[in-house]
Amino acid sequence: MKKENSTNSINSQYLLNTCDFNYVLQLISGRWKSQIIFSIAHGNNRFSLIKNDLENISDQVLGRQLKMLEKEGIIEKAEISETIPKGIKYSFTQKADSLIPLLRQLCYWGGQNRLTE
């Protein structure tokens, strides 16, 4: 956990507050966030479906990342009342709808420019 008054923490917060690009990078970076976003984009809108799509992710990490994406306004969750027990489904917000095409472009660029050994 970062110390809030450390130079590193202060500098990170400064960069987030002064550079929109750094905000976007912080939003989509981190372990599994972009993969979770793409999994939902491909129709995996339930915890178990995302978990099956991303085999190596733990339940704890998936739950934490989903909460972070929800807090950032990228996804929202809704109760599915037709199931017993009641389930949760995840969907994109308007904020995410405008982000997805940009992420696809970044993926395309990465595929075109990745160094292979």
Side-chain angles (χ1 to χ4, degrees):
M1 182 152 79
K2 286 184 186 178
K3 294 180 183 177
E4 291 182 26
N5 294 328
S6 70
T7 303
N8 188 34
S9 181
I10 292 168
N11 287 341
S12 293
Q13 196 59 47
Y14 171 78
L15 290 171
L16 286 175
N17 291 335
T18 59
C19 179
D20 294 337
F21 185 71
N22 284 326
Y23 165 72
V24 174
L25 288 179
Q26 177 268 334
L27 186 69
I28 62 172
S29 66
R31 195 167 288 165
W32 298 103
K33 279 187 189 175
S34 58
Q35 288 81 7
I36 292 168
I37 291 169
F38 279 113
S39 184
I40 295 170
H42 288 111
N44 299 312
N45 63 350
R46 309 241 348 233
F47 189 96
S48 61
L49 295 173
I50 299 167
K51 176 82 167 106
N52 290 339
D53 191 34
L54 307 173
E55 309 173 348
N56 295 328
I57 194 169
S58 71
D59 289 353
Q60 183 180 17
V61 170
L62 177 55
R64 187 179 324 121
Q65 295 299 333
L66 286 167
K67 284 180 186 173
M68 291 174 76
L69 289 168
E70 184 181 11
K71 182 180 174 188
E72 287 289 344
I74 300 298
I75 62 172
E76 55 193 7
K77 63 181 180 179
E79 194 174 272
I80 304 170
S81 58
E82 306 88 49
T83 62
I84 299 175
K86 292 181 181 175
I88 301 290
K89 69 177 180 179
Y90 297 94
S91 59
F92 289 131
T93 62
Q94 285 184 331
K95 186 176 182 178
D97 289 339
S98 62
L99 177 64
I100 301 301
L102 300 172
L103 293 178
R104 290 188 195 283
Q105 283 296 107
L106 286 172
C107 287
Y108 175 78
W109 186 90
Q112 297 297 309
N113 293 284
R114 179 190 298 257
L115 295 177
T116 57
E117 295 182 32

